[in-house]
Amino acid sequence: MPFVDVSAASLTFRPDAPSMPVLDLLERDAGPLRLSLRLLGASHQAVVATPDGLIAETLAYRSDFAPDLPEAFSQRVGSWQHRYECTVERLTVPELRQRVRSLRDRAVMRTGGDSMGTGEPDLLVGVFGEDLDAVTALEVTGTAPLSWRTVHTYPQYGEIVTTTGTVVPVDSGVPAGTGVPI
């Protein structure tokens, strides 16, 4: 599917979307969990394999579904709790460009390793369309608890959509959805 510059109001969050064609991905093991952060273009899909089944979240423009971008969502799969949170920011052109430049700089700096000592990149940035500020970034932010962040920028509208996801054992006592701002 060709790139379409949409806005935050056009996006759909789906916890039950099937696997979609992947352009690139980050994978990480965290104890019994396996995270696959999938770059779908201007969209993302996070899939966590747990001992009790799959947990998924997909954020994408989907012409076959009405737009739906919740601020928060929680689901339980067996003994695992998934928490998703989403924020939409409206920025000036210079602010948006600075945020995108910061993401690109961090991605370049991290290609030789990462702060978690895995030797694997933990930040992936894809650029879409002809505007270099139209990016999707996927980042593994922790493995205890398993957590990630995604950033979708829509420069035509001055919008940045940031999501955070966390998966924890139901009885862990760790608060789910603790996101870190970019």
Side-chain angles (χ1 to χ4, degrees), residues 50-68:
T50 78
D52 301 327
L54 293 179
I55 294 171
E57 68 176 46
T58 304
L59 184 66
Y61 167 72
R62 301 277 308 264
S63 61
D64 51 338
F65 289 101
D68 180 22

Side-chain angles (χ1 to χ4, degrees), residues 58-134:
T58 304
L59 184 66
Y61 167 72
R62 301 277 308 264
S63 61
D64 51 338
F65 289 101
D68 180 22
L69 188 61
E71 290 181 13
F73 175 83
S74 183
Q75 65 180 325
R76 183 174 174 170
V77 173
S79 59
W80 300 93
Q81 185 72 35
H82 168 230
R83 177 85 177 148
Y84 157 94
E85 294 179 352
C86 179
T87 59
V88 178
E89 297 174 82
R90 285 167 182 76
L91 304 173
T92 65
V93 171
E95 290 171 329
L96 188 134
R97 283 189 180 144
Q98 178 56 41
R99 295 276 292 275
V100 170
R101 186 175 350 181
S102 174
L103 277 171
R104 279 203 220 102
D105 290 348
R106 287 179 49 224
V108 169
M109 290 180 353
R110 290 183 171 188
T111 56
D114 63 47
S115 59
M116 290 183 276
T118 63
E120 299 175 55
D122 61 352
L123 176 62
L124 174 66
V125 178
V127 178
F128 303 97
E130 295 182 17
D131 189 333
L132 295 178
D133 291 329

